[in-house]
Amino acid sequence: HSDRVTAVSKSLKDDTLNLFDIKKKIDVIPNFIDVEAITSKEKPCKRTLLAEKEEKILTHVSNFRPLKRIIDVIDIFKGINSKINSKLMMVGEGPEKRKALRYVSDNKLKDKVLFLGNSNEIDKILCFHKKKEALHFMQNNMEAFIRNDIARLNEFLHFPIA
C-alpha cells in the first residue's frame, strides 16, 4: 500500500487509471524537476564555460533506457546543430549510454554532445540555459511527440523540423 501515487506525465496517469483499479489520487509531477525554482535563481552561472556566446544549449535529463529513445534525442540534436550552432548536455546513466557514446563518436559530435552522468543538482546544470532559450520536451515510447511540442520546438529554433 502506497501513501502517495505519482506519475511523470498526464499521459502516464491516464494510462495507469485505464489499466489498473487505482483508488488513490495520482499526482502528476513532470520529471520531478521544479522548473520554476531553477529559472527564478538570482545568480546565473558562467555560460561561457560550456558554450560559445552564439551557441544554443539543449539538455536532456533521463535514465538512458530504451524507452527514453536516447539515440532519437541525439539524432534530433544533430539536425538542429546542422542549422544552429548548439551543444547538447546529456544528464543521466543507463544501459543505452554506451550505444549513445558510440553514436556520438560515429557522427563526429564529440565536441557537441556532453555526457554529464547522474546528478542531484539539476538546477546547477540547467542554469547554463538563458531564460528565453529554455525549452523542455520529453520523448519516450509511451508518449507521442505531440503537435504542441513540435510547435514549441519550431518556435524555439526559428525553423520547422516537422
Side-chain angles (χ1 to χ4, degrees), residues 1-6 22 24-25:
H1 300 294
S2 300
D3 293 328
R4 187 172 180 197
V5 181
T6 62
I22 303 290
K24 288 190 178 241
K25 176 184 172 204

Side-chain angles (χ1 to χ4, degrees), residues 94-159:
E96 294 288 296
K97 184 174 181 180
R98 184 173 296 156
K99 186 175 172 184
L101 286 164
R102 188 171 41 252
Y103 185 84
V104 165
S105 179
D106 291 349
N107 286 277
K108 298 175 180 34
L109 294 169
K110 281 185 177 182
D111 62 332
K112 293 293 187 173
V113 180
L114 308 168
F115 288 87
L116 304 178
N118 285 333
S119 176
N120 291 326
E121 299 180 306
I122 300 301
D123 59 327
K124 291 182 180 173
I125 292 170
L126 295 183
C127 77
F128 286 102
H129 291 268
K130 295 176 185 175
K131 191 169 186 174
K132 67 180 180 179
E133 289 183 0
L135 174 71
H136 308 280
F137 68 94
M138 307 302 157
Q139 184 176 7
N140 68 40
N141 288 334
M142 299 294 287
E143 297 175 84
F145 197 49
I146 60 174
R147 210 175 277 178
N148 188 38
D149 291 328
I150 291 176
R152 286 176 42 232
L153 191 54
N154 288 340
E155 182 181 321
F156 173 74
L157 298 171
H158 306 293
F159 66 86

